[in-house]
Amino acid sequence: MGLDEGMASRARVRAPELVGEGGWLNTGGKDLTLADLRGKIVIADFWTFCCINCLHVLDELRELEEKHRDTVVIVGVHSPKFVHEADHQAVVDAVARYEVEHPVLDDPALVTWKQYAVRAWPTLVVIDPEGYVVAQHAGEGHAHAIERLVEELEQEHAAKGTLRRGDGPYVPPEPVAGALKFPGKAVRLPGGGFLVADSGHHSLVELAADGETVLRRIGDGERGLVDGAAPRFSEPQGLALVPEGLELGYDVVVADTVNHALRGLRLADGSVTTLAGTGRQWWQGSPTSGPATGVDLSSPWDVAFFDGRVWIAMAGVHQLWAFDPAAGTVAVAAGTTNEGLVDGPSAEAWFAQPSGLAVSPDGEKLWVADSETSAVRWVSRETNEVRTAVGTGLFDFGHRDGAAGQALLQHPLGVTALPDGSVAIADTYNHALRRFDPRSGEVTTLATDLREPSGAVLVDGDIVVVESARHRLTRLRLPEEAVQVESVAHRTQRAATEVAPGTLRLDVVFSAPTGQKLDERYGPSTRLLVSATPPELLVSGAGADTALSRELVLSAELTEGVLHVSAMAASCDDDPDIEYPACHVHQQDWGVPVKLVAGGASRLPLVLAGLE
């Protein structure tokens, strides 16, 4: 497709205004309108800060944002899933935490989300310099396609005289002062001090036993994947001490999250080596096992030595992986990459952004903080099965104590095994420390008024909590009696889509980027996986196939549920003169809450790339 043909074929849909009750961030206090941005190519990034795929897209866009800074304005439209994410200060913290260097609209009531008919996090909408929507992309892997489109729009609107070059409206916020900046997790060192993953400073910090005095910093504060005596990290999170008696040449394993790598730290001299990962993000179709430094990883968030291996909370693909330090290999240990809460044999279980790991004192259980299902799960060493202790699924969350079957958490990021066999939970979005006791089956609250706790460390009879959004470690006495809190329960704020019982046509819309075509040299280049919660919602149409359209049959016996849709498409350069064409994978998972009503929709379109 040529430039003129591509431009002529685009629908002329006027972009709705960008509005949100929370106002604007990163603009120096100025409220922006689309009229202010006329003449620029605008990319509206609908995101929420809990979502690992949204964080991947922030990183994908950094290079494009820098390269086209005089013609492109990226606007983050923050659209919350969890109640905590509707808190304005939490959005302010997230924008600083993830180094978002463009204007952000805080839209806690999802007003702009609804105006743009967005159905998934993340979604990118491209608006041309005259204010018309020209493309929409859901999920990850679209940066190359958007860059092609940006280059086309630059040419077209430069020729028309409608392109306005120059600085955009971004105004950087005041920097956060202090030794720590959004620390992730911590471990206690043999000498009594602490090693902290100082995620916001892209480094590790050794603190004295008081939890405050800085003894040394490992890393210079700049993002990078550099080994040796002057190492660099990128938003490191999880840490695991090498067990006593195990000689590996390093003392701590580091989950170097945004580098998609595991690193090994030698405490004696502060030198670092890369143990696993290539620095590239894992995509569907990439190897899932092999020599550790030759296999791509995806946002490893925590690590723990369990059953002879280093288990990895692989948040980016909703799985647990394991690194064998003796063999130097890595492989999937649990999970399918499908996002949700499904128990059973490890190879069949579903997770949703696992972000914290801890091993029980007897070594029989690996506790897992499964953040997007607001759940605490565990893996049994004996049976290699996954079970759920607390949590019900992707859309139910809150702060409710009592019997585990009805207790609620809100996006927990950390778990800490306690000596009595119970587990402390960094209940991040509830700003609380919770406890689950397997013997009584009860959930209690140990402490409140924490600020986004992301991990905790036992120190004698106390517990030291990483208060990520207060940039500090906080020491608490483990109470004899749990704190009493008023019970609250929430469901995600997204409105359910009204559909009719019976036949529902599911269409995933995908258009290959200009200059590319679907890559079918080695077989089908698309994949569609459909399931439902509860499973009885789907009378037929569940399972995997290669077509991006499918006829589903919904039960007339149910009134509501969730459709889980996972789509993937691979496209490659469409030029016979290119010997080695560049190929790209586009993928997205949707969880679509549906309400079954007479007269509801009989077709459900989901845009992966293109325009509906």
Side-chain angles (χ1 to χ4, degrees):
M1 184 189 296
L3 175 65
D4 293 337
E5 180 187 347
M7 290 297 172
S9 67
R10 292 202 184 98
R12 299 288 284 177
V13 178
R14 177 68 71 180
E17 190 55 83
L18 302 173
V19 294
E21 294 174 8
W24 288 87
L25 307 176
N26 285 355
T27 62
K30 176 181 169 60
D31 289 343
L32 296 181
T33 66
L34 284 175
D36 297 327
L37 302 175
R38 197 62 49 83
K40 296 289 190 183
I41 300 162
V42 177
I43 301 172
D45 176 14
F46 290 85
W47 70 299
T48 189
F49 63 77
C50 71
C51 159
I52 191 67
N53 312 90
C54 299
L55 304 186
H56 290 167
V57 167
L58 283 176
D59 289 321
E60 283 182 12
L61 293 176
R62 290 185 198 278
E63 185 177 343
L64 182 147
E65 188 169 26
E66 183 58 39
K67 183 177 177 182
H68 297 273
R69 192 169 286 280
D70 68 332
T71 58
V72 171
V73 174
I74 297 176
V75 172
V77 182
H78 189 269
S79 315
K81 171 186 175 181
F82 290 100
V83 167
H84 169 62
E85 293 173 311
D87 172 30
H88 182 69
Q89 184 56 48
V91 180
V92 173
D93 289 343
V95 168
R97 179 193 295 271
Y98 298 116
E99 298 178 351
V100 178
E101 296 183 350
H102 50 249
V104 173
L105 173 66
D106 181 10
D107 182 19
L110 301 178
V111 173
T112 297
W113 164 286
K114 293 170 186 172
Q115 285 294 308
Y116 279 80
V118 174
R119 292 185 183 272
W121 297 278
T123 291
L124 299 168
V125 177
V126 182
I127 302 168
D128 74 12
E130 294 178 286
Y132 290 94
V133 173
V134 292
Q136 181 171 324
H137 302 264
E140 302 179 50
H142 300 294
H144 69 287
I146 290 175
E147 177 149 19
R148 283 268 186 97
L149 178 57
V150 163
E151 290 169 352
E152 289 182 14
L153 291 169
E154 285 176 340
Q155 291 179 41
E156 180 195 13
H157 288 275
K160 290 173 66 175
T162 48
L163 184 70
R164 178 165 54 88
R165 294 183 180 272
D167 291 340
Y170 170 66
V171 178
E174 291 296 316
V176 175
L180 301 178
K181 180 183 178 184
F182 300 108
K185 300 186 188 293
V187 292
R188 195 181 188 200
L189 297 173
F194 300 91
L195 186 69
V196 182
D198 191 11
S199 309
H201 287 137
H202 312 296
S203 59
L204 309 178
V205 173
E206 184 178 347
L207 300 178
D210 62 7
E212 297 179 6
T213 305
V214 175
L215 301 181
R216 63 170 164 167
R217 181 175 294 275
I218 300 161
D220 63 4
E222 297 293 325
R223 289 182 189 269
L225 180 55
V226 179
D227 286 343
R232 283 185 169 175
F233 304 89
S234 188
E235 296 182 36
Q237 290 283 343
L239 304 168
L241 289 176
V242 174
E244 286 186 33
L246 198 57
E247 298 296 332
L248 296 176
Y250 49 88
D251 308 292
V252 182
V253 177
V254 181
D256 195 6
T257 304
V258 178
N259 275 330
H260 309 296
L262 295 192
R263 318 288 293 281
L265 166 67
R266 190 164 61 208
L267 289 169
D269 59 5
S271 65
V272 171
T273 55
T274 296
L275 307 176
T278 62
R280 297 184 301 271
Q281 184 185 334
W282 187 93
W283 286 98
Q284 290 285 353
S286 301
T288 55
S289 64
T293 54
V295 175
D296 299 340
L297 308 182
S298 183
S299 299
W301 208 277
D302 203 6
V303 281
F305 279 85
F306 176 61
D307 197 25
R309 295 177 293 170
V310 179
W311 284 58
I312 309 163
M314 202 71 78
V317 286
H318 317 300
Q319 289 179 308
L320 305 180
W321 288 40
F323 165 62
D324 185 332
T329 57
V330 70
V332 174
T336 65
T337 75
N338 295 325
E339 184 179 11
L341 193 153
V342 176
D343 288 343
S346 290
E348 300 171 14
W350 292 22
F351 295 91
Q353 218 167 295
S355 302
L357 301 174
V359 180
S360 62
D362 61 7
E364 291 299 314
K365 287 180 179 175
L366 178 69
W367 293 106
V368 182
D370 200 28
S371 62
E372 277 293 288
T373 53
S374 296
V376 171
R377 324 274 295 278
W378 84 85
V379 180
S380 166
R381 189 185 68 82
E382 181 181 0
T383 66
N384 196 31
E385 291 182 321
V386 176
R387 292 287 177 258
T388 297
V390 186
T392 60
L394 284 166
F395 299 100
D396 294 291
F397 55 92
H399 192 151
R400 187 160 65 199
D401 287 337
Q406 57 85 54
L408 293 172
L409 311 169
Q410 188 178 180
H411 198 80
L413 289 179
V415 279
T416 304
L418 301 179
D420 64 357
S422 65
V423 59
I425 306 159
D427 193 6
T428 309
Y429 287 3
N430 279 329
H431 307 302
L433 188 68
R434 313 283 293 283
R435 175 177 175 262
F436 168 66
D437 185 349
R439 294 170 302 181
S440 67
E442 295 284 313
V443 174
T444 52
T445 297
L446 299 176
T448 58
D449 194 32
L450 302 168
R451 187 74 187 170
E452 293 192 13
S454 54
V457 184
L458 275 176
V459 179
D460 305 321
D462 298 342
I463 193 162
V464 174
V465 179
V466 182
E467 272 198 277
S468 190
R470 282 200 178 113
H471 318 291
R472 71 186 188 190
L473 304 188
T474 300
R475 189 164 180 144
L476 303 172
R477 205 52 69 199
L478 280 176
E480 296 286 332
E481 297 288 331
V483 175
Q484 297 298 310
V485 298
E486 183 179 350
S487 294
V488 291
H490 304 289
R491 298 209 83 196
T492 182
Q493 295 186 50
R494 260 193 305 171
T497 299
E498 292 190 349
V499 296
T503 301
L504 177 69
R505 178 74 179 181
L506 172 65
D507 289 321
V508 174
V509 178
F510 177 76
S511 300
T514 302
Q516 297 214 325
K517 65 177 181 179
L518 289 174
D519 175 26
E520 296 181 335
R521 291 170 298 167
Y522 307 109
S525 60
T526 56
R527 186 186 76 137
L528 180 64
L529 176 69
V530 181
S531 63
T533 303
E536 302 80 51
L537 175 65
L538 276 176
V539 176
S540 67
D545 202 346
T546 56
L548 290 181
S549 293
R550 187 179 305 179
E551 191 172 276
L552 312 179
V553 177
L554 306 183
S555 172
E557 306 299 317
L558 297 175
T559 58
E560 63 179 9
V562 179
L563 289 174
H564 303 282
V565 180
S566 178
M568 184 273 289
S571 62
C572 293
D573 290 336
D574 185 15
D575 185 340
D577 294 332
I578 299 176
E579 185 176 1
Y580 300 106
C583 298
H584 304 275
V585 176
H586 318 256
Q587 68 180 60
Q588 172 64 3
D589 297 330
W590 291 268
V592 184
V594 295
K595 183 180 293 184
L596 280 69
V597 296
S602 60
R603 177 175 177 264
L604 177 62
L606 299 174
V607 177
L608 179 60
L611 286 174
E612 162 64 5

